Every structure is written in structure tokens, then in C-alpha cells.
Amino acid sequence: MLLADATNYVKDVDNVMIYIVTISVIMLLGVTFTMIYFVIKYNRKKNPKGANIQGNLWLEIIWVAIPTILVLTMFYYGFSSFTILRRVPKDAMVIKVTGQMWKWSFAYPNGKKYDTLYVPQNKSIKLEMNSVDVNHSFYIPAFRIKEDVVPGRTDYLVFNAQQQGKYDVECAEYCGMHHAYMLNKVIVLPQDEFQKWVNTPAPPAAKNESPAAGNASKTQTGGQQGQKGQ
Amino acid sequence: MANHVIAENYVDFYKEKGKHTGLGAWLLTTDHKRIGIMYLVAIVTFFLVGATLGFLMRLEMLSRGRTIMDPQTYNSLFTLHGLIMIFLFIIPGIPGVFGNFFLPIMLGAKDVAFPRLNLLSWYLYISGGLFAVVSVFLKGGPIDTGWTFYVPYSIRTGTDVSWMILAAFILGLSSIITGLNFITTIHRLRAPGMGWFKMPLFAWALYATAWIQLIATPVVGITLALVAVERLIGIGLFDPSLGGDPILYQHLFWIYAHPAVYIMILPAMGVVSEIIPTFAHRTIFGYKAIAISSLAIAFVGYFVWGHHMFSSGMSDTARWIFSLTTFLVALPSGVKVFNWVATLYKGSIELGTPLLFCMAFIFLFSIGGLTGLVLGALATDIHLTDTYFVVAHFHFVVFGGGGFIFFGALHYWFPKMFGKTYNEKVSKAALGTMVIGFMLLYFTMFILGYEGMPRRYYDYLPQFATLHIVATVGSWILVGGILVMIGNLLVALKKGKKASMNPWGGRTLEWTVPSPPPVENFEEIPVITHGPYDYEYNINGDSDKMEENYH
């Protein structure tokens, strides 16, 4: 479910992750194995008298300087990828997202409102997000994006989905009793299908074909959705 | 130094007849050692309560949907688990127990600078703890906001938030007073000849910690008091519907709560800097680098709080600035780790239980620190913040780091504090079990987090089920290890063999006084002529013989 090309941004995040984790694993193994090697090699039985080496200025300089360079590259790499996320293309379609305890709703430029997020493929989407009660956070793990949805202000997210399909949406900022059921789906459709969908007015009592729809209301009566999974 | 002469006929501080007897000898004492023991009892009790809550949370996560509790109970459990572990275990832990017991002895002093203030500090800690416990049983029900008390939820929930805030406020006061006491003690009560750079590194770590306690804690006290005021009279500082700003609250909270992470970890680093030279039987590598890096961590640690808020809606400028400072604070921690490992080079290493705790610490803390780099980078943090990746990261740092070393310190100083030795085979087996359980429980959470499992979730999507089961099984192994470890120490208290004055061959001053120490610690205040880890100089003629006695 974590596709490498779900959006044009996923690879950027994964590459930063791979870069930092690779360096980290090398450092971790280096430190751990050096430590274990010393403990074995300089065992009290083999080595009854320790050498009182007070320190070494050059070593101190080296193990400050090299990590400094490494973490600055990590900072830059993480920062430059992040700026892609904050750039809003001029032709982006704006969808308004409203968070409330414990459901999401979406409003499209043509006035259509719906309780599942449908988006066209290969089109930049800007989500403008508000909360009507407490803090929430709009999180699409497959797209590696998240932004808090805070009452009294509008925050945004940008993405451009490359692959058709259904992706999980989760609330990532604790918001009370049914926080864990504030789930939804992003459904990515080909552009023509999306146009058809968005121009069909939603039926008055919006019954939704998505399995995630109405999660919040269903689970308020005691987590039925979860019990199904047992 | 003639202290070892008195070892035969002296009265230890447990047996000394003071003004009060029975329970009064404890509850009215101003002896830093008795206060340290009282902290130990209270803090380990709260740790076991917090661990039980964590154990129950993992049990709930064993299967999807309801396993043993409803969502409201689960939300209260993770809130209480966080509050207890942070405010009642890990923040007061090492300073309260080992700082109190050993700081004066390691400085060559008879007590802390303000012994009565020290007792007040303990009473405030206990009162804060009692308020926290009482708040759980009040009408509104146990608090369900998460330990971060984020507004506006903490203003709107019907649970008893204000009582818990009062508890946190009082605990903060206790922390401030302890910090003030330690700063004064370190400035004023060092033995003659003990210049700043002849001070043990544990004292340096406590010094850096104490400044954070003193300066940062008032911020959270004020902030939480304002939340209580907002709840009581709707003053409108944080709630947007009253014209307030929820992001402002997050800034104020993390201005304290990030430096607080260093309150949790710096004392542990100080303990590691004591244990490693003792068991390597050689001087520490890079004394000044380790000492100064504590101050550097404490200082830079004030300027990184915003990294908790990369997805909060904070400005993009603030995001990159806090990302940069976060990477810089990693450097002094790295310096410490490299110097510790270098201290093992050409040592004469005895693989005692406390050293094994330090090795577990270096491994687990390194994982915690290095995954902190992933969270310091903006692109990856946006994906991982508020997921299990963060939960795993801070448990590696705070529990694998601070928590493991709390127990490592207990194993290091146990013979000195209680005059008894414990079974090392059992303690090593317990530690091994704890590390295995720990890795299964928390390493799994890194993967869950990257796959998109949000934290503070009562339930989860089907794709996360397998790893949740692995984590829960890990929690059983971890708890088993902890129980064996504590049981082993309790048995040692009852039946342990008498410990010698210097069972590990340490060089700092606490190993020159009898186990357990007499009330005033030293018969005569020592005069310091050499560094704290000087293995060229034999601190007391018979220390090697004592080591033989022990083995």
C-alpha cells in the first residue's frame, strides 16, 4: 500500500529517509561493534592494567566536524524536499476540507460537498483545511503528507496523485474519544471519470460506496468496525 | 584519607539515632541520603504504576476493536501513562534518588546546601503525586487529553484536567527547588581542592540539568495555570472561539517540554560517565569534552522546541530554523557517545551488571538519537510526526536511555546505598530479557510508524495487525525482565551478602566512605589533589584487596 509513486512527492521523502537511515545504521553498527570489540579485547583477565589515556584533541575535533557536515547535509536534504510540499502550483484545484469530531467533509470548487475525498489523477490539488472544534491533523500515509487542522485558521496541503486507487486518510492529532475512527479515503480517479463524478450532484442523503464512509458515525456506537476484523 | 580506618566501628545512617525515631526518622529527616531513599521508594512505585498502565495499553492493542477496554478508558490510560512516567518517574528519577544520595558525597560535602528545602521538595513531589492520583477518582473521570494538554481539547473535555494541572504545577515546583538546591550545592560545597574540572561528571550532568529545571520549568507552570484559568473562567488566551491561539499554547508548552527531555537524559549521561571508567579501570577519555557537552546540550536544547510542531501550521521560516537547531543539538550527544566508547579502549574491563546497563544504554540511546535525525529533517518528519515512529523514538531515548540508566545507577550504587550485594547472574539475565522485550516492543513501532500507524489510536486498520501483536508480546517479555530485576534487588536487600566499601574499584569519593555511609558521610572533609578518575593514584591502599574480597 506504500507505493513509491503514489504522488510525485513520495520518492523525495523516501530518499531523505534512505539517506539518513543509511548513515545512521553505519554509525550505530560502528559504535556498537567497536564497543563490543573493546570489551572483549581489553577484558580484565587479558589486560589487568588499564592505560590512562586522558583524551585526544584531534579525535574530538574529528568527531565533531564529520558529524556536523553529515547533519548539515541531512538538514538541507530534508528542507529542500519539504519546500516542494509547500509550493502551490498556480493551476491547483482547491478542495476545502473540514475536520470535526470525528469526521471529515470535503467541498469542491463547483459547490459539490461530499464525505469522501475524490481527486483526479495527475492534477495538483490544494487542500484548504479548517476545523470547527478541536485540533485534528489530515494525514495520508501513502502520500507521506500531513498537516494539522486547527480551529480559527486555514492550513493547506498540496499533492499530485500519480496512481489511481484508494488510499487511507487518518486523523493524526488526538481529538478525543473516537480519534481512532476519524478515518477516510482518498480515491484517485482518471481525469474524465473525476469530471463525471464531480458534476453529478450528491444525492441528498449521501450514501457512499466507499467502505470507509460513515466510519465515525458507525463506530460511535462502540467500535463495530474494529470488531468485524477479529 | 583515613576514612577506611573507621569502616570497622561506625554507625551507618540507617542506624544512627537522631532526634526522631520510627517513621519520624524518615518523614522529618533532612539527611540527603534518607531523602534519596524516600524518593527511591516513591519513584519506583510510580514507575510500576506507569508500567502497568503501559502493559494494559499494549494488551488492548493485541487485537483490533475492543480487546479489554473501551476507547475512553484507553485514552485515559495513555494520558496517565505519559504523565506518570514523565512527571513522576523520569524527570525526578535520577536527580531525586541518586542526585540526592550521591551528589554531596561525590563533592566531599556533608549534605546539600539547603537540607530542609530538600525535604520540602520531596513533600511537594509526594503532594503532586497524590493530586494526580486523586484526580483520577473525581467526578469528571480521569483526564483524557494526552500528557501534552493540547488546547482546545483540554479546555473542552469534561474530564478533570484542572486537578491534573495542579498536580503538574506542584511537581514543577518540586523540580525547581531541587534544581536550585543542586546548583547552590555544586557552587558552594565542593571539597577543598575540587576545582570545577576536578568534579565528577555526574555532578557536571546534574549541574546542567539543574539549570534547565530552574529556568524552563516556570514556563510550563505558568502555561498550565493559564489553561486552568481558561477552563474556569474562559479568559480566551488559547481557545480560538474566544479569540485565543492554540498554536501559542503549543509554543509555550514545548519551550519547557523540550528542554525537559534533557532533564530526563542528562543525569543518565552523567551516570554512564561514572560507570564506564569504574568498570574499565582507567580514566575517562575526554573529561572536558563530556563536561562541556552537558552544558552545550542544556543550552542548545532551549532553541529546538519548534521541532514538535513541524506540521502544526507554524510558519515555514520557523520550520526550517527549528530543523537546523535540532540537527545541531545532536552533536554534543554524539561527542559523549564517542568518548564513552573511547574510554573502553585499552581499559581493563570487568563486565559487571552496571557496565552491561551502560552498553545497553549506548545501543538503545544511539537508535533513539539517530532516529531523532529522521524526525529533525522536515520532509520525513511531516510524514512521521504523530505516528508510532515518534512513540518508538522517544521510548528509545527516554526509556532505553533514561529509564535503563535509572536502573543501571541502582545496580551501580546499590552496594553503597544498602551495604548489600545482589546476585549478578540474575541481574544480567534480567537485563538481557529487558533488552529483547524492549526491541520487540519498540523497534516494531518504527515500522508501524513508517507504514502510517498514528499514535494515540484505540483501534487500527487491518494492515497493522501483525506488528501490533509482535509489540504486545515484546511488552510481556519486557515486563517479565523488569519484575525479575526488581525481585532480585528485593531479595538482595533481605539476604544479600555484606558489601565492601569499594566493590567495583571506583575512584570517586563515595567509594572512600563505608557502605552504607555514616550520617555526615566523612569523618573529616577530604582534600582533593587529583582528578576524579585517576587510576594512577591508588585512592585507598586496600581497595584492590577489597575487590578480591568481593569476588
Side-chain angles (χ1 to χ4, degrees), chain A:
Chain A
M1 78 149 240
L2 289 183
L3 294 174
D5 53 354
T7 69
N8 56 359
Y9 173 66
V10 167
K11 266 212 180 87
D12 294 294
V13 179
D14 286 353
N15 287 341
V16 176
M17 183 76 183
I18 290 165
Y19 178 68
I20 299 177
V21 168
T22 306
I23 293 174
S24 299
V25 168
I26 295 169
M27 301 266 273
L28 176 69
L29 294 180
V31 163
T32 307
F33 283 111
T34 312
M35 175 173 78
I36 292 170
Y37 173 74
F38 285 167
V39 166
I40 294 167
K41 172 141 195 222
Y42 302 111
N43 186 282
R44 193 140 172 82
K45 284 182 197 120
K46 285 186 234 162
N47 207 34
K49 184 96 182 97
N52 281 301
I53 305 161
Q54 306 256 342
N56 182 317
L57 186 63
W58 276 110
L59 270 178
E60 301 288 348
I61 291 171
I62 288 168
W63 63 46
V64 173
I66 293 176
T68 305
I69 295 164
L70 288 176
V71 298
L72 288 178
T73 61
M74 291 176 191
F75 159 73
Y76 181 75
Y77 204 6
F79 166 69
S80 62
S81 301
F82 165 76
T83 54
I84 302 168
L85 181 66
R86 305 303 290 168
R87 221 175 285 141
V88 186
K90 282 211 180 74
D91 62 339
M93 180 170 89
V94 175
I95 300 175
K96 291 200 180 335
V97 179
T98 306
Q100 68 185 88
M101 293 151 101
W102 292 278
K103 63 180 184 189
W104 300 104
S105 47
F106 306 93
Y108 292 83
N110 66 357
K112 178 167 179 172
K113 290 186 172 148
Y114 211 65
D115 56 5
T116 305
L117 180 58
Y118 281 76
V119 295
Q121 189 182 0
N122 294 323
K123 166 97 184 146
S124 289
I125 308 291
K126 183 189 184 199
L127 301 178
E128 289 186 351
M129 308 185 294
N130 277 295
S131 165
V132 298
D133 40 43
V134 300
N135 299 353
H136 304 282
S137 189
F138 195 83
Y139 179 30
I140 311 173
F143 296 178
R144 316 286 193 273
I145 57 172
K146 171 190 296 128
E147 184 80 3
D148 287 8
V149 181
V150 178
R153 48 183 291 143
T154 303
D155 292 297
Y156 71 92
L157 270 178
V158 176
F159 64 86
N160 187 329
Q162 309 284 298
Q163 297 281 332
Q164 294 171 41
K166 280 184 191 174
Y167 305 94
D168 292 314
V169 173
E170 299 166 316
C171 176
E173 186 64 65
Y174 174 70
C175 58
M177 179 139 68
H178 294 299
H179 169 54
Y181 296 108
M182 194 164 161
L183 305 170
N184 214 298
K185 293 269 180 198
V186 193
I187 295 169
V188 181
L189 298 176
Q191 300 221 356
D192 50 341
E193 273 184 50
F194 174 80
Q195 284 310 325
K196 226 190 297 167
W197 178 86
V198 82
N199 290 321
T200 319
K207 286 285 172 207
N208 202 315
E209 61 270 30
S210 152
N215 239 339
S217 56
K218 209 194 302 176
T219 48
Q220 272 171 37
T221 56
Q224 294 160 355
Q225 197 225 4
Q227 282 170 356
K228 262 189 286 176
Q230 283 179 333

Side-chain angles (χ1 to χ4, degrees), chain B residues 4 38 49 52 67 93 111 135 146 189 235 285 301 303 334 346 349 356 367 390 452 461 497 499 519:
Chain B
H4 62 281
M38 295 200 300
V49 173
T52 307
T67 310
D111 208 317
S135 81
L189 298 184
I235 195 166
F285 190 95
F303 305 100
K346 290 200 171 168
I349 299 165
L356 286 170
I367 296 177
V390 173
L461 293 166
K497 269 192 259 167
V519 166

